[in-house]
Amino acid sequence: MSSGHNRDILADAASRAARYLDTLDDRSVQPAPEAVNRLKDALGETMPELPSEPEDVIALLDDIGSPATIASAGGRYFGFVTGSALPATVAANWLATAWDQNSFSSVSSPAIAPFEEASLRWIKEALALPTTAEGTFVTGATMANFTCLAAARHQVLKKAGWDVESQGLFGAPEINVVVGQEVHATVFKVLSLLGLGRDRVTVVPADDQGRMRSDALPALEGPTIVCIQAGNVNSGAFDPADAIIDHAHKAGAWVHVDGAFGLWARASTTFAALADDLERADSWATDAHKWLNVPYDNGIAIVREPDSLRQAMSISGAYLLASEQRDPIDYSPDSSRRARAVDVWAALKSLGRQGLAALIDRNCHQAQWLAEHLRKSGIDVLNDVVLNQVIVHFGNEKRTQRVVDTIQNSGVCWCGGTTWQNQPAMRISVSSWATTDDDIERSFEAIKAAHEEIAP
Ligand SMILES: *Cc1c(COP(=O)(O)O)cnc(C)c1O
């Protein structure tokens, strides 16, 4: 392929992507059902026998794909806890894709290994975590929880005289896993993958904001892992880290923090106090594709004791010559993988410490503004809005569902349904760099209009 050919197709993709992003503001956040059906019909074709020109592939992709997307890259998508992608991160991601580096080792990519070290160093600095901790880049907080809890499993069993990497869990001392009642569902999945079981955990009751009740913590003994949540996926509330960590560490337990988005409060000057004391934990899982606003997929696992992560993750067969340098594969559940650290580097480089703090602060203030104005309009806000999450409901289950549907169909903004303390509710998560104050006002008007339109 000629160099001119590369340039043409990449420039074409870039101009299509720019047009997509530039027109997001004027289109419905939720795609038209016809656009999604058109995509599905087009994808129904049988596997082509003959090749196509790359330009034609991209033109078709844009034609059938772009209109069917949900506008989560824009400023008025408040579903789940979803960031957009900062301009520098989209562009960096493309450039790194062109490099096509295999990030598993310093030999396979002398460039990406140092990016991993630099990005981890900056992340630890931004989140005020111990500078000597080790970490890795994975697909998301689910895999970050997996990676951290594998390191935890290693360490608590090692202390009990058991080598879990070589012997597995058959015949191993039992591990007591403690979670809060409002633990994220993915932690249960991770526990099942690690052989620790979904149903044999100790579940500590939560208070009305979803925080683990530290006064209800059981006495702990033997190999124990305690999971703290920093940022409840509905309310944004934080488990009381200080009391839990004291209690757990007194018993020699490992403390893991699921801070998929909440850990980023530590990068703010205004909201950092919510996440105080978490630096005393033993491992931390977070997402970069949520509040750091990098492209999917990108999660980060950080472990205080480098050795526990390394022992849990390294390939003991050592078919590769050990190099002098730090090899990413020794800290990661993956082997070959893309250069996620580049996207994180680009985000932190383009934001700087001040830009990152401003992003977190702005989203939290926007959530507070929304909550205040929704309350004034007679809409029930169910949580204390401490971070970027607002939970509302509209009377009974049926009406709440109808209001959520009306909001989604309005195309102005997108909020999802959820369940909060056994009642159906709507969650508004403000986590995007692209969300302006004007977006917040327009979205407020759309929510208010839906509330007024649907009969009680
Ligand atoms: C989003 C989230 C997860 C799962 O993260 P993924 O990036 O989807 O894997 C886990 N825990 C919490 C608290 C979350 O908000």
Side-chain angles (χ1 to χ4, degrees), residues 120-160:
L120 278 172
R121 183 163 50 80
W122 283 2
I123 287 286
K124 287 183 285 182
E125 228 175 276
L127 301 179
L129 298 177
T131 54
T132 50
E134 259 296 355
T136 190
F137 296 90
V138 288
T139 47
T142 304
M143 279 309 290
N145 280 322
F146 174 88
T147 305
C148 291
L149 290 174
R153 187 182 66 165
H154 166 87
Q155 188 59 30
V156 299
L157 287 180
K158 182 181 166 192
K159 271 209 314 206

Side-chain angles (χ1 to χ4, degrees), residues 81 140-143 145 184 186 229 231 233 258 260-261 287 289-290:
V81 184
T142 304
M143 279 309 290
N145 280 322
H184 198 268
T186 57
Q229 179 160 255
V233 79
D258 176 5
F261 61 99
D287 263 318
H289 58 218
K290 283 178 178 165

